[in-house]
PDB file of all heavy atoms in Angstrom:
ATOM      1  N   VAL P 922      17.262  20.239 -27.574  1.00 95.00           N
ATOM      2  CA  VAL P 922      16.977  21.624 -27.298  1.00 95.00           C
ATOM      3  C   VAL P 922      16.377  22.289 -28.509  1.00 95.00           C
ATOM      4  O   VAL P 922      15.512  23.036 -28.513  1.00 95.00           O
ATOM      5  CB  VAL P 922      18.169  22.425 -26.710  1.00 95.00           C
ATOM      6  CG1 VAL P 922      17.871  23.857 -26.444  1.00 95.00           C
ATOM      7  CG2 VAL P 922      18.737  21.614 -25.535  1.00 95.00           C
ATOM      8  N   GLY P 923      17.213  22.110 -29.705  1.00 93.00           N
ATOM      9  CA  GLY P 923      16.586  22.451 -31.068  1.00 93.00           C
ATOM     10  C   GLY P 923      16.690  23.816 -31.529  1.00 93.00           C
ATOM     11  O   GLY P 923      16.088  24.247 -32.466  1.00 93.00           O
ATOM     12  N   ALA P 924      17.497  24.726 -30.859  1.00 95.00           N
ATOM     13  CA  ALA P 924      17.705  25.987 -31.359  1.00 95.00           C
ATOM     14  C   ALA P 924      18.615  25.889 -32.693  1.00 95.00           C
ATOM     15  O   ALA P 924      19.287  25.220 -32.811  1.00 95.00           O
ATOM     16  CB  ALA P 924      18.371  26.983 -30.352  1.00 95.00           C
ATOM     17  N   LYS P 925      18.502  27.056 -33.464  1.00 93.00           N
ATOM     18  CA  LYS P 925      19.378  27.114 -34.625  1.00 93.00           C
ATOM     19  C   LYS P 925      20.703  27.695 -34.421  1.00 93.00           C
ATOM     20  O   LYS P 925      21.659  27.316 -35.031  1.00 93.00           O
ATOM     21  CB  LYS P 925      18.589  28.095 -35.667  1.00 93.00           C
ATOM     22  CG  LYS P 925      17.227  27.506 -36.163  1.00 93.00           C
ATOM     23  CD  LYS P 925      17.499  26.631 -37.530  1.00 93.00           C
ATOM     24  CE  LYS P 925      16.445  25.685 -37.811  1.00 93.00           C
ATOM     25  NZ  LYS P 925      15.103  26.250 -37.700  1.00 93.00           N
ATOM     26  N   GLY P 926      20.771  28.530 -33.317  1.00 95.00           N
ATOM     27  CA  GLY P 926      22.115  29.113 -33.028  1.00 95.00           C
ATOM     28  C   GLY P 926      21.986  29.971 -31.803  1.00 95.00           C
ATOM     29  O   GLY P 926      20.840  30.159 -31.295  1.00 95.00           O
ATOM     30  N   LEU P 927      23.036  30.530 -31.309  1.00 97.00           N
ATOM     31  CA  LEU P 927      23.060  31.230 -30.071  1.00 97.00           C
ATOM     32  C   LEU P 927      23.572  32.609 -30.355  1.00 97.00           C
ATOM     33  O   LEU P 927      24.691  32.782 -30.941  1.00 97.00           O
ATOM     34  CB  LEU P 927      23.812  30.622 -29.026  1.00 97.00           C
ATOM     35  CG  LEU P 927      24.028  31.285 -27.699  1.00 97.00           C
ATOM     36  CD1 LEU P 927      22.662  31.403 -27.015  1.00 97.00           C
ATOM     37  CD2 LEU P 927      25.104  30.652 -26.849  1.00 97.00           C
ATOM     38  N   VAL P 928      22.826  33.754 -29.992  1.00 97.00           N
ATOM     39  CA  VAL P 928      23.367  35.008 -30.125  1.00 97.00           C
ATOM     40  C   VAL P 928      23.722  35.522 -28.651  1.00 97.00           C
ATOM     41  O   VAL P 928      23.028  35.250 -27.785  1.00 97.00           O
ATOM     42  CB  VAL P 928      22.271  35.976 -30.709  1.00 97.00           C
ATOM     43  CG1 VAL P 928      22.691  37.449 -30.545  1.00 97.00           C
ATOM     44  CG2 VAL P 928      22.112  35.640 -32.170  1.00 97.00           C
ATOM     45  N   TRP P 929      24.906  36.107 -28.489  1.00 97.00           N
ATOM     46  CA  TRP P 929      25.359  36.577 -27.166  1.00 97.00           C
ATOM     47  C   TRP P 929      25.782  38.079 -27.148  1.00 97.00           C
ATOM     48  O   TRP P 929      26.159  38.575 -28.260  1.00 97.00           O
ATOM     49  CB  TRP P 929      26.300  35.746 -26.558  1.00 97.00           C
ATOM     50  CG  TRP P 929      27.529  35.307 -27.322  1.00 97.00           C
ATOM     51  CD1 TRP P 929      27.779  34.194 -27.962  1.00 97.00           C
ATOM     52  CD2 TRP P 929      28.654  36.161 -27.423  1.00 97.00           C
ATOM     53  NE1 TRP P 929      28.990  34.206 -28.536  1.00 97.00           N
ATOM     54  CE2 TRP P 929      29.657  35.416 -28.261  1.00 97.00           C
ATOM     55  CE3 TRP P 929      29.111  37.472 -27.067  1.00 97.00           C
ATOM     56  CZ2 TRP P 929      30.811  36.004 -28.604  1.00 97.00           C
ATOM     57  CZ3 TRP P 929      30.247  37.992 -27.448  1.00 97.00           C
ATOM     58  CH2 TRP P 929      31.089  37.270 -28.230  1.00 97.00           C
ATOM     59  N   VAL P 930      25.499  38.660 -26.037  1.00 97.00           N
ATOM     60  CA  VAL P 930      25.921  40.120 -25.866  1.00 97.00           C
ATOM     61  C   VAL P 930      26.746  40.189 -24.681  1.00 97.00           C
ATOM     62  O   VAL P 930      26.250  39.896 -23.538  1.00 97.00           O
ATOM     63  CB  VAL P 930      24.855  41.135 -25.920  1.00 97.00           C
ATOM     64  CG1 VAL P 930      25.451  42.607 -25.928  1.00 97.00           C
ATOM     65  CG2 VAL P 930      24.035  40.943 -27.188  1.00 97.00           C
ATOM     66  N   LYS P 931      28.022  40.486 -24.613  1.00 97.00           N
ATOM     67  CA  LYS P 931      28.868  40.673 -23.360  1.00 97.00           C
ATOM     68  C   LYS P 931      28.844  42.114 -23.005  1.00 97.00           C
ATOM     69  O   LYS P 931      29.184  42.939 -23.652  1.00 97.00           O
ATOM     70  CB  LYS P 931      30.294  40.239 -23.751  1.00 97.00           C
ATOM     71  CG  LYS P 931      30.485  38.735 -23.752  1.00 97.00           C
ATOM     72  CD  LYS P 931      31.980  38.401 -23.899  1.00 97.00           C
ATOM     73  CE  LYS P 931      32.284  36.925 -23.810  1.00 97.00           C
ATOM     74  NZ  LYS P 931      33.662  36.662 -24.162  1.00 97.00           N
ATOM     75  N   PHE P 932      28.477  42.303 -21.748  1.00 97.00           N
ATOM     76  CA  PHE P 932      28.494  43.567 -21.039  1.00 97.00           C
ATOM     77  C   PHE P 932      29.832  43.477 -20.256  1.00 97.00           C
ATOM     78  O   PHE P 932      29.768  43.178 -19.068  1.00 97.00           O
ATOM     79  CB  PHE P 932      27.271  43.943 -20.245  1.00 97.00           C
ATOM     80  CG  PHE P 932      26.105  44.158 -21.064  1.00 97.00           C
ATOM     81  CD1 PHE P 932      25.383  43.226 -21.725  1.00 97.00           C
ATOM     82  CD2 PHE P 932      25.581  45.535 -21.219  1.00 97.00           C
ATOM     83  CE1 PHE P 932      24.264  43.471 -22.423  1.00 97.00           C
ATOM     84  CE2 PHE P 932      24.524  45.811 -22.034  1.00 97.00           C
ATOM     85  CZ  PHE P 932      23.901  44.798 -22.589  1.00 97.00           C
ATOM     86  N   ASN P 933      30.960  43.892 -20.936  1.00 96.00           N
ATOM     87  CA  ASN P 933      32.278  43.644 -20.275  1.00 96.00           C
ATOM     88  C   ASN P 933      32.440  44.637 -19.074  1.00 96.00           C
ATOM     89  O   ASN P 933      31.662  45.585 -18.966  1.00 96.00           O
ATOM     90  CB  ASN P 933      33.380  43.998 -21.240  1.00 96.00           C
ATOM     91  CG  ASN P 933      33.363  42.947 -22.300  1.00 96.00           C
ATOM     92  OD1 ASN P 933      33.065  41.827 -22.235  1.00 96.00           O
ATOM     93  ND2 ASN P 933      33.516  43.444 -23.569  1.00 96.00           N
ATOM     94  N   THR P 934      33.235  44.188 -18.147  1.00 96.00           N
ATOM     95  CA  THR P 934      33.460  44.864 -16.878  1.00 96.00           C
ATOM     96  C   THR P 934      34.025  46.315 -17.162  1.00 96.00           C
ATOM     97  O   THR P 934      33.758  47.163 -16.281  1.00 96.00           O
ATOM     98  CB  THR P 934      34.354  44.117 -15.877  1.00 96.00           C
ATOM     99  OG1 THR P 934      35.567  43.708 -16.724  1.00 96.00           O
ATOM    100  CG2 THR P 934      33.627  42.906 -15.360  1.00 96.00           C
ATOM    101  N   ASP P 935      34.727  46.476 -18.209  1.00 95.00           N
ATOM    102  CA  ASP P 935      35.272  47.800 -18.526  1.00 95.00           C
ATOM    103  C   ASP P 935      34.160  48.661 -19.194  1.00 95.00           C
ATOM    104  O   ASP P 935      34.524  49.721 -19.796  1.00 95.00           O
ATOM    105  CB  ASP P 935      36.497  47.756 -19.323  1.00 95.00           C
ATOM    106  CG  ASP P 935      36.200  47.011 -20.768  1.00 95.00           C
ATOM    107  OD1 ASP P 935      34.955  46.689 -21.013  1.00 95.00           O
ATOM    108  OD2 ASP P 935      37.131  46.735 -21.442  1.00 95.00           O
ATOM    109  N   GLY P 936      32.999  48.281 -19.286  1.00 92.00           N
ATOM    110  CA  GLY P 936      31.847  49.072 -19.903  1.00 92.00           C
ATOM    111  C   GLY P 936      31.701  48.905 -21.379  1.00 92.00           C
ATOM    112  O   GLY P 936      30.745  49.368 -21.942  1.00 92.00           O
ATOM    113  N   THR P 937      32.591  48.244 -22.019  1.00 94.00           N
ATOM    114  CA  THR P 937      32.473  47.923 -23.435  1.00 94.00           C
ATOM    115  C   THR P 937      31.440  46.853 -23.697  1.00 94.00           C
ATOM    116  O   THR P 937      31.107  46.120 -22.691  1.00 94.00           O
ATOM    117  CB  THR P 937      33.841  47.643 -24.130  1.00 94.00           C
ATOM    118  OG1 THR P 937      34.272  46.348 -23.537  1.00 94.00           O
ATOM    119  CG2 THR P 937      34.815  48.721 -23.908  1.00 94.00           C
ATOM    120  N   LEU P 938      31.047  46.698 -24.905  1.00 95.00           N
ATOM    121  CA  LEU P 938      30.091  45.629 -25.276  1.00 95.00           C
ATOM    122  C   LEU P 938      30.766  44.804 -26.446  1.00 95.00           C
ATOM    123  O   LEU P 938      31.503  45.335 -27.245  1.00 95.00           O
ATOM    124  CB  LEU P 938      28.800  46.222 -25.845  1.00 95.00           C
ATOM    125  CG  LEU P 938      27.580  46.420 -24.959  1.00 95.00           C
ATOM    126  CD1 LEU P 938      27.869  47.356 -23.776  1.00 95.00           C
ATOM    127  CD2 LEU P 938      26.320  46.766 -25.661  1.00 95.00           C
ATOM    128  N   LYS P 939      30.470  43.564 -26.378  1.00 95.00           N
ATOM    129  CA  LYS P 939      30.849  42.745 -27.442  1.00 95.00           C
ATOM    130  C   LYS P 939      29.807  41.726 -27.731  1.00 95.00           C
ATOM    131  O   LYS P 939      29.110  41.157 -26.782  1.00 95.00           O
ATOM    132  CB  LYS P 939      32.156  42.034 -27.180  1.00 95.00           C
ATOM    133  CG  LYS P 939      32.868  41.190 -28.236  1.00 95.00           C
ATOM    134  CD  LYS P 939      34.270  40.958 -28.004  1.00 95.00           C
ATOM    135  CE  LYS P 939      34.715  39.797 -28.909  1.00 95.00           C
ATOM    136  NZ  LYS P 939      34.254  40.020 -30.322  1.00 95.00           N
ATOM    137  N   SER P 940      29.469  41.429 -29.036  1.00 95.00           N
ATOM    138  CA  SER P 940      28.462  40.640 -29.312  1.00 95.00           C
ATOM    139  C   SER P 940      28.754  39.907 -30.702  1.00 95.00           C
ATOM    140  O   SER P 940      29.476  40.223 -31.400  1.00 95.00           O
ATOM    141  CB  SER P 940      26.975  41.216 -29.325  1.00 95.00           C
ATOM    142  OG  SER P 940      26.738  41.747 -30.658  1.00 95.00           O
ATOM    143  N   THR P 941      27.826  38.856 -30.956  1.00 94.00           N
ATOM    144  CA  THR P 941      27.884  38.224 -32.214  1.00 94.00           C
ATOM    145  C   THR P 941      27.160  38.882 -33.326  1.00 94.00           C
ATOM    146  O   THR P 941      27.210  38.463 -34.485  1.00 94.00           O
ATOM    147  CB  THR P 941      27.216  36.744 -32.017  1.00 94.00           C
ATOM    148  OG1 THR P 941      25.984  36.991 -31.340  1.00 94.00           O
ATOM    149  CG2 THR P 941      28.107  35.688 -31.432  1.00 94.00           C
TER     150      THR P 941
END
Side-chain angles (χ1 to χ4, degrees):
Chain P
V922 181
K925 293 265 160 48
L927 176 69
V928 169
W929 50 259
V930 185
K931 282 183 175 176
F932 288 75
N933 294 321
T934 45
D935 63 5
T937 63
L938 263 64
K939 184 161 170 43
S940 86
T941 41

